[in-house]
């Protein structure tokens, strides 16, 4: 299968924080891949802007290093890297001062083209950048700003960030990134639901027993301890990534695949979420092993109560989902790095095969990692003589197998999202009201943890999380799916 690449219009992309970790690991390699795929075009310009003193040549060396380290798998001709680097420049700039802004303005000139500003810096600098872009006259109607997570740490701070951006930009110019939305399988969830007749009639509490969403990591906090200990699993994963997966799974069919319709439907889901009862949420902290440090040791604070794991039962109060719980969990140092959405259908109302046939359920699994794909568990007769014995088998659609080797070469989420910014398509970006509604739901859960005596449950490295998380489902007569690769 040959994929169709449509080149985007010429653009200037300024990457504030262009020397940072995210730029090095994700943004710059993603741009290079789109360049090699013929999508970025020869007229596009990328300007790194950060505090470090360096010139264009030094920055190109930096970009070359980033691509060698994180984009080496890119399919491209040998001379393409140097041609790509020819489109890269750098400006030393202070987001909070005057340095560099005139130089940036001179670089950009008055070319009539799409201009995107990527805020790949800490959220503390968003307001400074937005204000300076305006005072230096760098913004026009074709200007977009891309902001990274975390978008606030609670409702109040998210509101304040939204207000800061709204002073200088229209909502249609603001692209709040949640890279989970750029994942191919996540978009496929919409294709599966709304492109087939098969699933949607069953996609409700009459036929779905429950839904499980798991985002499990096998690594610990590593070098991100400083950031992570102030955030925790709830802020780092649940409020944004898992919330987005929940929304796409639970939302009503939008009238159109466009930014307004899709985001309106997602917002309705968040607003329909009921409060989470204290007994319906479990938080945990991983313990060390002989060879690996525990959470407390890794963050260097014996008294930290920050959660590296959270599991909860969410209820959506609307006609479609009343009575069908959504079990959500995420954590670090778990058994495997594996993420999936599992839609567990109800038992058939009556078994004609008798009690010996056992209990069989259809489960639709949308795998985000590893091996992005979709699997439908169906029940069939076990082959051979000896009566009617039933067995569950997967109807598996691993994209790379079903669509040929090219489909296995799935673009990284950042590649897609950056090109969407240039195309002016906000469908896969979070709207301001969505982010605020998500914090509104999350805040009371986090606030309850501040109560004296509320401690995270310890769990073993390499496990499925604390025992209390298993009990959360057991008491409902259900069980978590195994975390496995
Ligand atoms: P980083 O600390 O590695 O880089 C920060 C960048 O900001 C550097 O280029 C630095 O020069 C620049 N900077 C800092 N102060 C500045 C100032 N006053 N003026 C101009 N430039 C300034 O951070 P990072 O890991 O690249 O993260 C950037 C943003 O992306 C953060 O909001 C982070 O939360 C978010 N993010 C990062 C990752 C990741 O994997 N690194 C993942 C998701 C989101």
């Amino acid at each position: 299968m040959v994929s169709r690449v449509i080149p985007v219009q010429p653009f200037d992309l300024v990457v504030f924080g262009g020397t940072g970790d995210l730029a090095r690991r994700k943004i710059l390699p993603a741009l290079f891949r789109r360049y090699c795929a013929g999508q970025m075009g020869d007229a596009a310009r990328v300007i790194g802007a950060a505090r470090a003193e360096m010139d264009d040549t030094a920055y190109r060396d930096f970009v070359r290093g980033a691509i060698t380290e994180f984009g080496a798998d890119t399919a491209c001709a040998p001379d393409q890297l140097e041609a790509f680097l020819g489109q890269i420049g750098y400006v030393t700039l202070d987001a909070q001062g005057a340095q560099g802004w005139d130089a940036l303005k001179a670089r950009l000139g008055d070319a009539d083209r799409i201009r995107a500003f990527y805020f790949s810096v800490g959220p503390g600098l968003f307001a400074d950048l937005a204000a300076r872009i305006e005072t230096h006259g760098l913004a026009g109607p074709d200007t977009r700003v891309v902001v990274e997570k975390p978008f606030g740490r609670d409702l109040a701070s998210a509101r304040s960030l939204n207000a800061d951006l709204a002073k200088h930009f229209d909502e249609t110019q603001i692209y709040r990134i949640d890279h989970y939305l750029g994942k191919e399988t996540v978009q496929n969830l919409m294709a599966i639901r709304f492109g087939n007749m098969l699933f949607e009639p069953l996609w409700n509490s009459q036929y779905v027993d429950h839904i499980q969403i798991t985002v499990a990591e096998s690594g610990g906090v590593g070098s991100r301890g400083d950031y992570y200990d102030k955030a925790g699993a709830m802020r780092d994963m649940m409020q944004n990534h898992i919330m987005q997966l929940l929304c796409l799974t639970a939302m009503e069919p939008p009238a159109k695949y466009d930014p307004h319709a899709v985001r309106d439907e997602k917002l309705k889901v968040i607003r329909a979420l009921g409060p989470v009862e204290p007994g319906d949420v479990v938080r945990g902290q991983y313990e060390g092993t002989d060879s690996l440090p525990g959470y407390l040791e890794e963050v260097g604070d014996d008294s930290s109560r920050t959660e590296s794991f959270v599991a909860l039962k969410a209820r959506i109060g609307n006609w479609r989902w009343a009575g069908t719980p959504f079990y959500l969990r995420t954590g670090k140092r778990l058994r495997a790095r594996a993420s999936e959405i599992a839609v567990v259908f109800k038992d058939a109302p009556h078994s004609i095969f008798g009690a010996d046939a056992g209990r069989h359920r259809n489960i639709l699994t949308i795998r985000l990692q590893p091996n992005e794909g979709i699997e439908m568990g169906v029940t069939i007769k076990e082959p051979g003589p000896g009566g009617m014995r039933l067995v569950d088998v997967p109807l598996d659609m691993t994209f790379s197998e079903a669509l040929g080797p090219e489909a296995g070469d799935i673009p990284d989420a950042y590649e897609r999202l950056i090109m969407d910014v240039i195309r002016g398509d906000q469908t896969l970006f979070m709207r301001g009201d969505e982010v605020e509604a998500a914090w509104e739901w999350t805040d009371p859960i986090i606030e309850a943890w501040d109560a004296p005596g509320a401690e995270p449950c310890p769990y073993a490295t390499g496990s499925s999380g604390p025992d209390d998380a298993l009990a959360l489902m057991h008491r409902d007569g259900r069980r978590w799916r195994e975390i496995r690769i």
Side-chain angles (χ1 to χ4, degrees):
M1 215 203 64
V2 179
S3 59
R4 218 158 30 102
V5 173
I6 303 169
V8 293
Q9 287 177 31
F11 64 89
D12 287 340
L13 171 67
V14 178
V15 184
F16 294 113
T19 59
D21 180 64
L22 184 70
R24 204 165 63 88
R25 286 192 308 112
K26 292 290 180 185
I27 304 171
L28 296 165
L31 286 165
F32 180 54
R33 289 200 189 95
R34 288 298 92 204
Y35 178 80
C36 294
Q39 194 166 23
M40 179 173 141
D42 295 334
R45 292 187 301 175
V46 177
I47 301 167
R51 264 188 315 199
E53 297 279 349
M54 59 171 104
D55 59 13
D56 285 349
T57 310
Y59 190 60
R60 285 176 189 145
D61 286 343
F62 170 86
V63 177
R64 190 184 286 109
I67 287 166
T68 310
E69 196 173 352
F70 299 104
D73 54 335
T74 312
C76 63
D79 56 348
Q80 276 185 304
L81 177 55
E82 292 314 310
F84 171 74
L85 293 174
Q87 293 175 228
I88 306 265
Y90 183 81
V91 173
T92 302
L93 173 143
D94 183 3
Q96 294 177 301
Q99 187 196 7
W101 288 93
D102 289 339
L104 179 60
K105 189 176 168 77
R107 277 287 171 113
L108 289 169
D110 50 14
D112 181 19
R113 50 179 18 213
I114 292 160
R115 194 174 278 184
F117 295 99
Y118 199 129
F119 291 10
S120 183
V121 294
L125 296 179
F126 290 178
D128 295 304
L129 289 174
R132 280 168 178 74
I133 287 171
E134 185 168 342
T135 41
H136 289 86
L138 301 182
D142 255 343
T143 295
R144 285 126 214 206
V145 293
V146 185
V147 293
E148 266 297 338
K149 80 165 215 189
F151 199 84
R153 54 175 287 107
D154 53 20
L155 177 59
S157 53
R159 274 195 180 136
S160 148
L161 278 178
N162 273 337
D164 286 337
L165 292 173
K167 280 184 211 153
H168 310 286
F169 302 103
D170 187 78
E171 180 64 32
T172 56
Q173 297 180 294
I174 303 169
Y175 291 71
R176 294 174 194 80
I177 285 224
D178 185 318
H179 73 273
Y180 268 55
L181 291 178
K183 287 179 185 282
E184 197 69 16
T185 341
V186 174
Q187 293 155 57
N188 239 314
L189 176 55
M190 282 189 275
I192 286 276
R193 283 193 62 192
F194 307 127
N196 296 284
M197 191 57 209
L198 200 56
F199 299 108
E200 206 47 27
L202 306 180
W203 209 263
N204 56 55
S205 59
Q206 201 181 338
Y207 298 102
V208 177
D209 179 74
H210 72 277
I211 290 175
Q212 300 186 20
I213 303 181
T214 298
V215 177
E217 296 174 71
S218 50
V221 293
S223 58
R224 290 177 72 222
D226 267 0
Y227 155 76
Y228 193 89
D229 199 42
K230 292 189 200 87
M234 197 72 189
R235 291 189 173 95
D236 189 50
M237 280 285 176
M238 190 68 80
Q239 184 273 345
N240 38 61
H241 304 320
I242 295 188
M243 177 69 81
Q244 290 298 317
L245 300 181
L246 168 81
C247 286
L248 295 179
T249 309
M251 73 183 180
E252 295 301 316
K256 292 190 261 187
Y257 183 74
D258 83 6
H260 301 293
V262 171
R263 298 189 297 179
D264 283 350
E265 294 307 336
K266 287 199 290 161
L267 179 62
K268 284 184 212 163
V269 174
I270 306 175
R271 291 203 170 137
L273 279 168
V276 176
E277 305 295 326
D280 283 348
V281 56
V282 175
R283 62 177 173 148
Q285 232 180 33
Y286 59 80
E287 295 176 313
T289 65
D290 289 346
S291 52
L292 288 169
Y295 180 83
L296 296 177
E297 210 181 319
E298 263 194 303
V299 300
D301 176 2
D302 273 356
S303 61
S304 170
R305 299 201 299 171
T306 304
E307 76 288 357
S308 60
F309 174 96
V310 63
L312 61 84
K313 176 176 168 181
R315 293 181 183 83
I316 300 176
N318 62 20
W319 276 46
R320 183 189 282 262
W321 293 118
T324 295
F326 284 66
Y327 297 94
L328 318 174
R329 69 178 162 169
T330 181
K332 292 191 176 291
R333 284 279 189 85
L334 295 175
R335 181 165 293 152
R337 181 165 181 261
S339 305
E340 64 168 36
I341 301 167
V343 181
V344 181
F345 289 89
K346 290 187 173 173
D347 294 349
H350 165 72
S351 171
I352 64 168
F353 305 109
D356 289 351
R359 188 181 191 192
H360 296 274
R361 282 191 153 176
N362 299 121
I363 302 180
L364 177 71
T365 313
I366 296 118
R367 273 195 316 269
L368 276 69
Q369 65 188 16
N371 308 326
E372 287 196 62
I374 292 171
E375 184 181 294
M376 179 81 215
V378 292
T379 303
I380 60 162
K381 177 187 169 300
E382 200 176 307
M388 184 60 100
R389 290 189 310 272
L390 302 185
V391 63
D392 292 333
V393 293
L395 285 180
D396 190 349
M397 195 184 85
T398 301
F399 297 151
S400 52
E401 285 167 18
L403 302 174
E406 266 192 41
D409 192 17
I410 294 171
D412 179 77
Y414 277 89
E415 292 176 56
R416 175 179 188 116
L417 294 175
I418 296 171
M419 290 299 109
D420 278 359
V421 172
I422 306 303
R423 278 192 291 256
D425 184 348
Q426 289 185 303
T427 312
L428 299 176
F429 295 83
M430 293 180 295
R431 209 166 54 191
D433 51 3
E434 241 185 288
V435 178
E436 289 185 15
W439 281 119
E440 213 168 333
W441 182 73
T442 319
D443 274 2
I445 304 171
I446 298 175
E447 279 159 19
W449 291 338
D450 288 339
E455 300 289 335
C457 312
Y459 63 94
T461 285
S463 70
S464 302
D467 290 344
D468 286 12
L470 306 182
L472 179 74
M473 284 196 84
H474 283 173
R475 63 166 201 229
D476 292 347
R478 302 181 174 111
R479 53 201 295 194
W480 291 105
R481 284 164 55 76
E482 208 181 305
I483 298 173
R484 62 190 159 87
I485 305 180

